[in-house]
Amino acid sequence: MEKTENKNLRLFLTDTLLDPVLLYLALTMSSIMYHYRSSLAIVYGVAAYIIGWILFRIFDFVNKHKFLGFISYCVTGIAFLYAVLFFKEKGSEDYPITFFLWFLTPQDALKYNKYFTIAIFLCFMIFMASVIYYFTRVRYRIFMNFLIFIIPFAIYGKEYEKMPTIYIILLAVGYILLMILFRQLSENDKTVVVDKRNIWKPLAVYTVVFASMAAIVPKPVVKENRTYIETLIRAEALTDRLTTMLNVFRNTTGSDAFRYTGGKNVYYYAKAEEPLKIKTATYSTYDYETDAWSTVDIDSDNLNFNGIPLEISRPADCMKAYLKAAELDNDFAVKYGLDRFVGTEIKDAPTKTVVFYSARNGGNLLPVPESATELIKTDIRQEIYPSPSGTLYLYNQQIVRDDYFVYNYSNFGFMQLGRNKEISDYLQTIDNYAGMNTDAAFILLGSDENKDLRKSLIEEKNYLIGYSETLLDYGDKEDIKTLADEITGEIESDYEKALKLEQYFYNQKYNYDLEYEKEKGENIEDFIFRTKTGVCSEYAGAMIMLARASGIPARYCVGYSMSSPLDEQTYNVQFDANYVVYSKDAHGYPELYIKGYGWMPFDPTITDTLENAVEKDATGTLKKAGVLILTVFLLILLLTLLYPKISHRVFLLICGKKSPSVTTKMVMRRIRKLYGADSSFTTNEIAQLAAEVSGADITIISELYDRTVYGGTGLSEDDKKAVLDEYVKAYSALLEAKKKRS
């Protein structure tokens, strides 16, 4: 009785744990949760498998006991609801937005919230488990199963996000398997009922061939035009509103902002001659304890709006001012050693034009190209406020879709022109630089012709003196100071130091990793010396601190890296654009103040630029996956074909080392398995089955088996030899019979 109960328990566990519906549920939940937390997708899949097994047992009870089952389902639903509310409340602590807003907002625009993620997992779990179970095991409906099947794809599609190839294949295969296994055949004379145990082999072959060939067969390249459908449902309107609520000027920013920007929501279109960095805000102070950057007056104060065109910066004006002062006053020129440069022309870098078109509503920060000199045209009628850090913003107004901004910017080739770098390098060797600044400003005083040059000197003095404590603050970290000195060595030129610091990260095997999870309390110092793993914000912050420790004023900039060419067939835009800026292009980088020139951008995060510039080819990945599936299947097929012969040889080798009695028992079990006799067959019935199927005679095996098992009689080596000889004949006869049938 106890053996029967144990056997029934084993059968129950085997049937329920290998339930294809349960496995499909776990796969579906894993694919959904990959969108919310890719690094934990497998963990959520395992959790869905365990919780799903429990829920399916409750659903079995519901299916058998209608009234009590209904009560049980209600209790289960209430339990899930309380769990969701609990994690929702936990997630709301110290998080700036509500759960509902978090759910509706594109995940690439948000900081990860583990409690909200668990809450959404539980919501999807009770829903998906209920509908998948009901529409397969209770009332099979192919259309409803298809709607369930496309839910994960819809979650990815709403944010232009690509589902991982492996999930695409597995979900499609799983859907087909469920469709075949649970389809209800109509009961009539033409219906042929097949035992499901007899169809698993052809079903497996069909599924593998379907998955591999569907992936391998060449697909036509289709350039989708989403304009009509998006106009029809206006899903973007909701996204715009959410972006407006989130995209406000923040006084602080952390590195996590760049770990959740994997989506392809379009922010801007642009017409430009080359890839550019776009600046939207700057931050000048850093807190090691919170690992966050904050703004100061020079980042957020507004200057006077003087109309369009609006001046943003005048690069190298200070250098021109010093040479102008040296030209006007020989004593000044000799005092500071500038007489050697009198009459030298400072060559300006070529000025180029870029046009940005807003692709959505919301936000008050204008996109400003790095090294922008002026905003020359825009359709915005309200006042635009510039900040001392070269950013532009609207006060109490929002940017709307189709707004455009036309800028002039100076290309980044200034130091390679004429004697520009020589003059810049010399200026940085002057010990009394602040005194030179004051003297030059005094010489230029009173001349309208040189008014702008004198203004640039005053602005430079404000940076170098008024904000030097802020812009040179690296937390007095001795290890950072030591490393900065090691990297820059005896270099005197700030520009050369900056290049050396920028290259340092390329050469020291630092890792760019969007999936890397920072530990609590981890900061820039940890990135430089311990983890060496992070995203653009860590690279930028590390270079800023090393630059400051080297005596170079530096600040942190946030914006976008514009490097994705616009495919006009894919995006049916009315603008004259050749670039598109996505949410995934969010970028952080440093600006360093080079004496005489002004603020100059650098980018130590080379991996980030490469990742944004290269798009993965989904069709190519799918094809590779198909080839891999087909290859693995062919290997399995080959092993399956060879397995009978291999297992036969191995079996004979094992029997050679066993006693006659054990060998006889093993042979009988193997013949039972080969000929498909279940446990209820007697030895005589097995012998009769063998004779009918292949004509083999196994009476000796049958008699010796009964003698040793039921009679307790020992067997000799001669008996063992007779058993093995008869087994070999029975095996060969079975192979011949199968060949004839095929």
Side-chain angles (χ1 to χ4, degrees):
M1 181 68 178
E2 185 177 349
K3 289 184 178 180
T4 303
E5 290 178 354
N6 290 336
K7 181 179 179 181
N8 291 335
L9 178 60
R10 285 197 301 272
L11 289 173
F12 168 75
L13 291 176
T14 301
D15 290 342
T16 57
L17 293 176
L18 297 180
D19 180 3
V21 181
L22 177 61
L23 295 173
Y24 182 71
L25 170 65
L27 172 64
T28 304
M29 288 301 301
S30 179
S31 66
I32 291 174
M33 296 312 297
Y34 187 95
H35 167 72
Y36 291 96
R37 194 59 168 174
S38 59
S39 60
L40 295 177
I42 301 300
V43 175
Y44 278 114
V46 173
Y49 177 82
I50 296 171
I51 298 173
W53 186 89
I54 297 172
L55 286 175
F56 279 14
R57 305 292 71 78
I58 296 173
F59 296 163
D60 288 342
F61 179 81
V62 172
N63 206 24
K64 293 178 181 178
H65 307 84
K66 301 303 180 184
F67 178 73
L68 291 178
F70 174 75
I71 300 298
S72 301
Y73 185 82
C74 290
V75 171
T76 302
I78 292 172
F80 267 80
L81 176 61
Y82 271 102
V84 168
L85 293 175
F86 170 78
F87 287 110
K88 173 177 160 298
E89 291 300 319
K90 288 284 291 183
S92 298
E93 298 175 3
D94 301 321
Y95 199 69
I97 62 175
T98 64
F99 174 76
F100 183 69
L101 182 58
W102 172 89
F103 172 69
L104 292 176
T105 304
Q107 290 298 301
D108 55 50
L110 297 171
K111 181 179 179 181
Y112 173 64
N113 187 317
K114 67 178 180 180
Y115 294 112
F116 280 179
T117 306
I118 294 173
I120 202 67
F121 166 75
L122 293 174
C123 289
F124 274 116
M125 186 70 221
I126 187 65
F127 172 75
M128 297 300 287
S130 299
V131 295
I132 289 176
Y133 179 94
Y134 183 81
F135 289 112
T136 51
R137 295 202 170 279
V138 180
R139 188 180 296 276
Y140 180 84
R141 289 291 183 271
I142 188 171
F143 179 70
M144 293 305 300
N145 272 302
F146 178 75
L147 292 180
I148 297 166
F149 165 68
I150 65 174
I151 287 175
F153 294 90
I155 291 172
Y156 286 83
K158 72 183 177 68
E159 295 184 23
Y160 298 89
E161 186 180 0
K162 292 179 180 177
M163 181 185 290
T165 303
I166 186 64
Y167 283 120
I168 296 174
I169 294 174
L170 291 179
L171 283 171
V173 169
Y175 171 70
I176 290 174
L177 288 174
L178 288 187
M179 186 171 62
I180 295 173
L181 289 173
F182 291 92
R183 182 168 182 82
Q184 296 173 344
L185 298 174
S186 59
E187 297 181 2
N188 54 49
D189 295 337
K190 296 181 180 180
T191 299
V192 178
V193 180
V194 180
D195 189 342
K196 289 181 180 179
R197 291 176 298 178
N198 296 328
I199 68 169
W200 71 269
K201 287 184 180 179
L203 182 59
V205 171
Y206 168 77
T207 303
V208 171
V209 171
F210 162 80
S212 56
M213 296 311 294
I216 294 172
V217 171
K219 287 93 179 158
V221 177
V222 179
K223 299 296 184 180
E224 71 276 13
N225 185 343
R226 303 174 65 135
T227 305
Y228 176 76
I229 186 66
E230 286 173 354
T231 303
L232 181 65
I233 62 175
R234 297 307 300 158
E236 280 191 345
L238 175 60
T239 305
D240 290 343
R241 183 168 180 80
L242 296 173
T243 305
T244 301
M245 298 171 69
L246 293 168
N247 189 16
V248 294
F249 190 89
R250 295 180 174 90
N251 292 324
T252 61
T253 185
S255 61
D256 284 343
F258 299 95
R259 287 185 164 81
Y260 313 103
T261 55
K264 292 187 67 175
N265 296 297
V266 179
Y267 282 177
Y268 305 104
Y269 298 104
K271 178 69 172 180
E273 297 182 30
E274 59 199 334
L276 293 169
K277 282 193 285 293
I278 301 170
K279 180 167 65 175
T280 56
T282 64
Y283 300 85
S284 297
T285 62
Y286 176 75
D287 188 335
Y288 283 92
E289 291 187 6
T290 60
D291 187 35
W293 288 90
S294 302
T295 61
V296 295
D297 292 345
I298 51 175
D299 298 305
S300 56
D301 273 3
N302 62 288
L303 303 176
N304 292 330
F305 174 71
N306 296 316
I308 303 296
L310 175 61
E311 183 180 283
I312 299 173
S313 70
R314 298 175 62 88
D317 260 20
C318 289
M319 192 181 298
K320 295 174 184 177
Y322 293 132
L323 293 194
K324 188 65 178 179
E327 180 185 327
L328 296 174
D329 191 318
N330 186 61
D331 291 338
F332 171 84
V334 172
K335 179 180 179 180
Y336 294 106
L338 294 174
D339 49 327
R340 73 183 78 173
F341 300 115
V342 172
T344 301
E345 179 186 2
I346 295 174
K347 296 184 178 296
D348 293 320
T351 297
K352 299 184 180 182
T353 302
V354 59
V355 184
F356 293 111
Y357 303 96
S358 176
R360 57 180 62 245
N361 300 321
N364 65 337
L365 303 176
L366 273 64
V368 179
E370 191 53 68
S371 298
T373 55
E374 60 181 343
L375 173 66
I376 60 176
K377 190 176 182 181
T378 180
D379 61 344
I380 293 181
R381 298 184 181 279
Q382 61 264 35
E383 290 188 350
I384 300 172
Y385 293 93
S387 74
S389 64
T391 58
L392 304 176
Y393 64 95
L394 304 177
Y395 186 72
N396 287 335
Q397 297 289 338
Q398 297 289 329
I399 299 171
V400 298
R401 182 186 283 107
D402 300 345
D403 279 344
Y404 69 88
F405 315 93
V406 185
Y407 295 92
N408 283 337
Y409 70 97
S410 178
N411 198 14
F412 314 143
F414 176 82
M415 291 297 182
Q416 285 71 46
L417 299 175
R419 299 180 69 185
N420 290 355
K421 183 177 182 300
E422 181 185 353
I423 298 171
S424 174
D425 289 348
Y426 176 75
L427 290 177
Q428 293 154 40
T429 65
I430 297 175
D431 293 332
N432 188 16
Y433 189 88
M436 179 180 66
N437 178 286
T438 301
D439 291 346
F442 181 77
I443 292 170
L444 299 178
L445 181 65
S447 171
D448 289 339
E449 179 185 353
N450 300 316
K451 181 175 62 176
D452 288 337
L453 297 180
R454 186 173 184 276
K455 177 183 176 184
S456 296
L457 291 176
I458 295 172
E459 290 175 355
E460 181 180 60
K461 188 172 184 178
N462 288 337
Y463 279 118
L464 299 182
I465 298 176
Y467 293 98
S468 62
E469 185 176 345
T470 297
L471 296 172
L472 291 173
D473 178 25
Y474 61 95
D476 294 327
K477 302 288 184 179
E478 292 184 8
D479 51 356
I480 292 180
K481 175 63 176 172
T482 301
L483 178 59
D485 291 342
E486 290 176 2
I487 296 172
T488 57
E490 300 299 321
I491 300 174
E492 293 185 350
S493 162
D494 285 353
Y495 179 70
E496 293 288 348
K497 287 180 180 180
L499 292 179
K500 198 77 172 178
L501 293 173
E502 183 182 47
Q503 295 164 3
Y504 173 76
F505 303 96
Y506 304 166
N507 303 325
Q508 297 301 315
K509 296 182 179 179
Y510 281 74
N511 300 312
Y512 181 86
D513 187 357
L514 282 170
E515 301 297 326
Y516 176 70
E517 293 294 325
K518 296 176 70 171
E519 298 177 1
K520 187 176 182 179
E522 197 172 303
N523 55 34
I524 287 174
E525 191 175 14
D526 294 306
F527 168 76
I528 296 175
F529 298 103
R530 186 171 62 84
T531 66
K532 295 189 175 183
T533 302
V535 294
C536 56
S537 54
E538 277 82 26
Y539 284 86
M543 182 173 175
I544 291 169
M545 293 306 160
L546 290 169
R548 289 178 174 183
S550 301
I552 308 174
R555 66 189 179 199
Y556 178 51
C557 302
V558 297
Y560 302 91
S561 178
M562 186 187 78
S563 59
S564 301
L566 173 66
D567 186 335
E568 294 182 3
Q569 294 180 0
T570 301
Y571 296 94
N572 186 22
V573 295
Q574 67 272 30
F575 314 120
D576 179 21
N578 59 345
Y579 283 94
V580 59
V581 180
Y582 300 108
S583 53
K584 71 179 181 63
D585 295 324
H587 191 45
Y589 60 92
E591 280 184 334
L592 276 59
Y593 194 89
I594 306 300
K595 293 174 183 175
Y597 177 84
W599 290 101
M600 185 175 288
F602 294 87
D603 197 347
T605 321
I606 187 171
T607 310
D608 180 72
T609 303
L610 293 176
E611 285 218 353
N612 285 337
V614 179
E615 282 292 327
K616 293 183 178 178
D617 182 356
T619 302
T621 305
L622 202 59
K623 185 180 293 185
K624 291 177 183 177
V627 172
L628 179 62
I629 292 172
L630 190 57
T631 302
V632 172
F633 171 68
L634 291 176
L635 289 174
I636 294 174
L637 181 61
L638 180 62
L639 291 174
T640 302
L641 294 174
L642 296 176
Y643 174 77
K645 294 182 179 180
I646 295 173
S647 63
H648 173 64
R649 298 290 183 185
V650 173
F651 178 74
L652 291 176
L653 288 174
I654 294 173
C655 288
K657 299 178 181 180
K658 301 294 183 180
S659 67
S661 297
V662 173
T663 298
T664 302
K665 295 175 183 177
M666 290 174 60
V667 167
M668 180 55 74
R669 284 199 297 270
R670 184 164 178 79
I671 288 177
R672 183 192 298 273
K673 181 179 179 181
L674 289 173
Y675 281 87
D678 61 38
S679 57
S680 64
F681 277 53
T682 65
T683 55
N684 290 331
E685 289 173 335
I686 295 172
Q688 183 179 352
L689 177 63
E692 292 175 355
V693 172
S694 66
D697 182 5
I698 62 167
T699 54
I700 294 176
I701 298 173
S702 177
E703 291 174 1
L704 292 176
Y705 178 84
D706 288 342
R707 188 197 305 175
T708 188
V709 173
Y710 302 111
T713 305
L715 302 178
S716 65
E717 289 297 325
D718 291 338
D719 293 332
K720 175 180 176 180
K721 184 177 181 304
V723 167
L724 291 176
D725 288 343
E726 196 163 83
Y727 159 71
V728 171
K729 293 177 183 178
Y731 176 80
S732 300
L734 182 61
L735 291 182
E736 288 297 324
K738 287 183 177 180
K739 287 181 181 179
K740 290 179 181 179
R741 287 199 299 271
S742 61

